[in-house]
Amino acid sequence: MARRRQAVTIKHVAADAEVSLQTVSRVINNEPNVRPSMKERVQASIDKLGYVPSIAAQRMSGSRSYLILAINDRERTIADWRTRQGTDWVDQMLLGGMLKCAEHGYRMIFELVDTHNDHVERELGATIAALQPDGVILTPPHSDNPLITAFLARRKIPFARIGSMTPGPGIAMTMDDEGSARRATEHLIALGHRRIGFIAGSEEYDLSNWRIDGWREAMDAAGLSHDGLCTRGDFSHESGVIAANKLLDLDPPPTAIIASNDQMTLAALDTANQRGLKVPGDLSLISFDNTPVVRFTDPKLTAVDQPIAATFSKAVELLITNGDAAVPHQPVVTAGSLVERGSTSPPRGA
Amino acid sequence: MARRRQAVTIKHVAADAEVSLQTVSRVINNEPNVRPSMKERVQASIDKLGYVPSIAAQRMSGSRSYLILAINDRERTIADWRTRQGTDWVDQMLLGGMLKCAEHGYRMIFELVDTHNDHVERELGATIAALQPDGVILTPPHSDNPLITAFLARRKIPFARIGSMTPGPGIAMTMDDEGSARRATEHLIALGHRRIGFIAGSEEYDLSNWRIDGWREAMDAAGLSHDGLCTRGDFSHESGVIAANKLLDLDPPPTAIIASNDQMTLAALDTANQRGLKVPGDLSLISFDNTPVVRFTDPKLTAVDQPIAATFSKAVELLITNGDAAVPHQPVVTAGSLVERGSTSPPRGA
DNA sequence: TTGAAAGCGCTAACAT
DNA sequence: ATGTTAGCGCTTTCAA
């Protein structure tokens, strides 16, 4: 491996502009105490030579690394990739996060970390030590892992916790799961549904319970019973089939079901079809996530769209600009929206 | 922004183990000339202190950066993300690339570059200067952009060109587009089809033409005419509709169509449905890419699976290990496979 | 407003 | 087999 050096360094620029290294550094970093004429001269040399500072060198001398690290759950992410279920969480994360980073001259780098590991701290510590990011974005289920949050707090690394409302260090951010579930439920109630089932997600994720809360609130507000109408899955298709069967075995069965992600909703759709139930005629369905596949089913699914890109964009923004300012103490919420498609209609006879 | 330093450095380890920096460095890098007992002692201190070398510092002192840079087309990638068509190219790339990188203690960084920009060189140069990657992976349409390949060659940065067969610097890698198209065509011929239409992709991608070649070879080998049976789209749904209509207006129309990606195949499916044609009864369809959505259509699409993850995995492997060894001069090919689903059957009356 | 000097954490090159 | 020295490219002191 050939020893590789920077093609054009700050020294070349300094020599070309006939100034000191320090002056060039000041121009690069937009620091005060540089006369406009000087600044112009240096900038001209920079442009002429096509100089770009080395992140490594910048980092070495104690400044920022211009790196934002996004952490996802290893097991889950790899499983999603392997099975190709069409989950585009990572893509939406990149869309929001990378582009916002780029706007600020930052880079987003993305790592998989195993939460169910006793060595999370060590694993994360290694990544942090190697990369020295200026900020970290945690996603569920890491967002509420005390091992991780405490570690980052101790190291004084700014971080955002996506899908977390817990007070504590770091910026808590949510997509208003409770509100989305409430609005989805209200939508069904407005269509005339009285018995609305809910398939919750895995307890490992706090947002699973927030969604139940939203559904329950809407049911309560409308004076509807929710006895036995909530059942729990684990976000897998398989668990969705079990949950849907359980709900449809009820007497009377629900006329509508909200499921906490697309896989489980697709499972409910399959189950309904197998039982000879027409969607939406006999059963209305609302999904969570709005991944691409929900537009390719028959009927297309009405779904809660999660503002993943917007949330990551906001997270990056806060991490980068909040160096000085105070961290918001209330959770930062970016609300989702309900996308109406073909899987919802008034119930039979309404 | 607080001045952040490495928590535990090579110095701490050296002090703890009571050896010189250099010895620690040797242990880290698995270099020779360290007695096993010494190595053990140092390793114990490393583990005890939880030391992890800083990439920035390693890079600074002239060694590797342990970074592999993957480049995708900015416009296309962002459009895919925004429209949420279900393309999981990026995910599969990450699956293959990141995991293989991790195996070797490397990291994959992923950037968007605008090919249609006169300043590609500058844009890429900036990224390279900032990151100093040990290797670069190019994807279409960058893989054959002479501005880019020449730049990397000049800078002596090892790189792989995915979807390229052109001789020249860098490692050419393909997914055997020609063979896949040939096999897909042969499959249809074996089913009894004689008139098989082909919807090609944009000319900007060399692989579009390789796929045409494969189709044509199979048609020729079976003694079938391909006059007028090949039309070109640009990978968009819209262009697929136009192309499908053009083919189905033929007299006699084809009994089967192969389209060069999933979007165009879905367009062909829509078009067939609109014309009252049953798939696969009246028209068989084979798709390229095998993204998640093809399993959610009715019928599910028979598709050519592109070994994206495997190809990136291989690319990373070659880039990391080929520091010394010679770069393969033949294109490295990883063949795709045909996944049979419900959109293919013998033609009516066969 | 500008410049000079010191050092960040690590490795290559050169001792020993 | 181990240690010492001199940077890598940049920013942070501190001085002028």
Side-chain angles (χ1 to χ4, degrees), chain A residues 73-336:
Chain A
D73 187 50
R74 171 177 291 127
E75 210 178 324
R76 171 156 216 91
T77 305
I78 293 180
D80 281 345
W81 285 343
R82 287 241 161 85
T83 57
R84 303 184 77 168
Q85 295 295 303
T87 308
D88 64 346
W89 165 276
V90 169
D91 301 74
Q92 294 301 306
M93 172 185 100
L94 261 15
L95 172 59
M98 281 188 66
L99 298 193
K100 180 57 77 180
C101 276
E103 278 178 31
H104 294 270
Y106 275 67
R107 233 128 216 145
M108 169 169 255
I109 166 158
F110 152 56
E111 287 268 325
L112 302 177
V113 167
D114 197 349
T115 294
H116 305 293
N117 191 326
D118 293 343
H119 317 318
V120 229
E121 265 181 287
R122 194 172 314 173
E123 196 183 348
L124 185 60
T127 305
I128 303 264
L131 260 19
Q132 315 256 60
D134 293 334
V136 174
I137 301 179
L138 262 25
T139 61
H142 298 309
S143 302
D144 287 303
N145 184 326
L147 255 35
I148 294 183
T149 55
F151 174 83
L152 291 172
R154 208 177 321 127
R155 286 286 190 90
K156 294 206 175 33
I157 298 174
F159 67 101
R161 290 178 274 121
I162 294 197
S164 175
M165 311 245 305
T166 321
I171 307 167
M173 304 188 72
T174 88
M175 305 194 201
D176 193 21
D177 293 85
E178 185 173 332
S180 291
R182 185 167 9 85
R183 284 187 293 275
T185 311
E186 286 166 355
H187 177 70
L188 290 168
I189 293 172
L191 285 173
H193 293 273
R194 322 263 76 189
R195 284 185 68 72
I196 301 169
F198 194 86
I199 303 180
S202 142
E203 279 192 280
E204 191 180 5
Y205 295 75
D206 279 355
L207 55 82
S208 294
N209 293 329
W210 302 335
R211 291 178 187 175
I212 298 179
D213 292 343
W215 164 76
R216 198 171 287 159
E217 285 161 26
M219 294 295 271
D220 286 344
L224 300 175
S225 154
H226 46 249
D227 273 3
L229 283 169
C230 178
T231 177
R232 203 181 275 277
D234 64 3
F235 292 126
S236 72
H237 187 278
E238 203 177 22
S239 76
V241 171
I242 296 171
N245 274 313
K246 196 162 147 196
L247 289 176
L248 293 173
D249 281 340
L250 253 32
D251 183 24
T255 60
I257 292 178
I258 302 174
S260 293
N261 76 339
D262 290 335
Q263 302 312 317
M264 296 196 295
T265 312
L266 294 173
L269 177 59
D270 290 347
T271 304
N273 285 337
Q274 250 167 34
R275 286 171 168 246
L277 261 28
K278 288 286 279 182
V279 172
D282 301 313
L283 181 69
S284 283
L285 248 27
I286 295 186
S287 182
F288 257 87
D289 285 0
N290 195 30
T291 55
V293 295
V294 301
R295 284 175 291 132
F296 293 92
T297 52
D298 182 30
K300 297 175 183 173
L301 302 183
T302 294
V304 171
D305 185 73
Q306 301 279 88
I308 301 167
T311 301
F312 273 88
S313 180
K314 186 76 188 164
V316 166
E317 181 98 47
L318 288 170
L319 252 16
I320 292 179
T321 60
N322 264 37
D324 342 279
V327 169
H329 271 303
Q330 289 301 311
V332 177
V333 359
T334 308

Side-chain angles (χ1 to χ4, degrees), chain A residues 4 6 55 59-60 81 84 88 91-92 98 107 110-111 130 132-133 266 290 292 295-296 305, chain B residues 4 6 55 59-60 81 84 88 91-92 98 107 110-111 130 132-134 266 290 295-296 305:
Chain A
R4 196 156 46 242
Q6 190 84 336
I55 288 199
R59 204 357 265 167
M60 276 302 296
W81 285 343
R84 303 184 77 168
D88 64 346
D91 301 74
Q92 294 301 306
M98 281 188 66
R107 233 128 216 145
F110 152 56
E111 287 268 325
Q132 315 256 60
L266 294 173
N290 195 30
R295 284 175 291 132
F296 293 92
D305 185 73
Chain B
R4 196 158 41 242
Q6 190 82 340
I55 288 199
R59 205 356 265 163
M60 277 302 296
W81 285 343
R84 304 185 74 169
D88 64 346
D91 301 75
Q92 295 301 306
M98 281 187 65
R107 234 128 215 146
F110 153 57
E111 287 268 325
Q132 315 256 61
D134 292 336
L266 293 174
N290 195 30
R295 283 176 291 134
F296 294 91
D305 185 72

Side-chain angles (χ1 to χ4, degrees), chain B residues 48 50 60 66 72 79 103 153 182 185 192 218 222 233 282 295 306 309-310 349:
Chain B
K48 181 173 121 199
M60 277 302 296
Y66 296 97
N72 277 265
E103 278 177 31
R182 183 165 13 84
T185 311
D282 300 313
R295 283 176 291 134
Q306 301 279 89

Side-chain angles (χ1 to χ4, degrees), chain B residues 61-342:
Chain B
S61 49
S63 93
R64 291 181 264 209
S65 64
Y66 296 97
L67 257 28
I68 297 289
L69 179 66
I71 306 279
N72 277 265
D73 188 48
R74 172 177 289 128
E75 211 178 322
R76 173 158 213 89
T77 305
I78 293 180
D80 281 346
W81 285 343
R82 286 241 161 84
T83 57
R84 304 185 74 169
Q85 296 295 301
T87 309
D88 64 346
W89 165 275
V90 169
D91 301 75
Q92 295 301 306
M93 172 185 100
L94 260 16
L95 172 59
M98 281 187 65
L99 298 193
K100 182 55 79 179
C101 277
E103 278 177 31
H104 293 270
Y106 275 67
R107 234 128 215 146
M108 171 169 253
I109 292 214
F110 153 57
E111 287 268 325
L112 303 177
V113 168
D114 197 350
T115 294
H116 306 292
N117 190 325
D118 293 343
H119 317 318
V120 228
E121 265 181 286
R122 193 170 318 172
E123 198 184 344
L124 185 59
T127 304
I128 303 266
L131 259 21
Q132 315 256 61
D134 292 336
V136 174
I137 301 178
L138 262 24
T139 61
H142 298 310
S143 302
D144 288 303
N145 184 326
L147 254 36
I148 293 182
T149 54
F151 174 83
L152 291 172
R154 207 177 324 125
R155 286 286 190 88
K156 295 205 173 40
I157 298 174
F159 66 101
R161 290 178 274 119
I162 294 197
S164 175
M165 310 245 305
T166 322
I171 307 166
M173 305 188 73
T174 87
M175 306 192 200
D176 193 21
D177 293 86
E178 186 173 331
S180 292
R182 183 165 13 84
R183 284 187 292 274
T185 311
E186 285 166 356
H187 177 70
L188 290 167
I189 293 171
L191 285 173
H193 292 273
R194 322 264 76 190
R195 286 186 66 72
I196 301 169
F198 193 87
I199 303 180
S202 142
E203 279 193 280
E204 190 179 5
Y205 295 74
D206 279 355
L207 55 84
S208 294
N209 293 329
W210 302 335
R211 291 178 187 176
I212 298 178
D213 292 343
W215 163 76
R216 199 172 287 158
E217 284 161 28
M219 294 295 270
D220 285 345
L224 301 174
S225 154
H226 46 248
D227 273 3
L229 283 169
C230 178
T231 177
R232 203 181 275 276
D234 64 4
F235 292 125
S236 71
H237 188 278
E238 202 177 23
S239 76
V241 171
I242 296 171
N245 274 311
K246 197 163 148 194
L247 289 176
L248 293 173
D249 281 339
L250 252 33
D251 184 23
T255 60
I257 292 178
I258 301 173
S260 294
N261 75 340
D262 290 335
Q263 303 312 318
M264 297 196 296
T265 312
L266 293 174
L269 177 60
D270 290 346
T271 305
N273 285 336
Q274 249 166 35
R275 286 171 168 245
L277 260 31
K278 288 286 278 181
V279 173
D282 300 313
L283 182 68
S284 282
L285 248 28
I286 294 186
S287 183
F288 257 88
D289 285 359
N290 195 30
T291 55
V293 295
V294 302
R295 283 176 291 134
F296 294 91
T297 52
D298 181 31
K300 297 175 183 175
L301 302 182
T302 295
V304 171
D305 185 72
Q306 301 279 89
I308 301 167
T311 303
F312 274 88
S313 179
K314 186 78 188 160
V316 166
E317 181 98 45
L318 289 170
L319 252 16
I320 292 179
T321 60
N322 264 37
D324 342 280
V327 169
H329 272 302
Q330 289 301 312
V332 176
V333 358
T334 308
S337 56
L338 188 69
V339 181
E340 291 190 51
R341 297 202 185 86

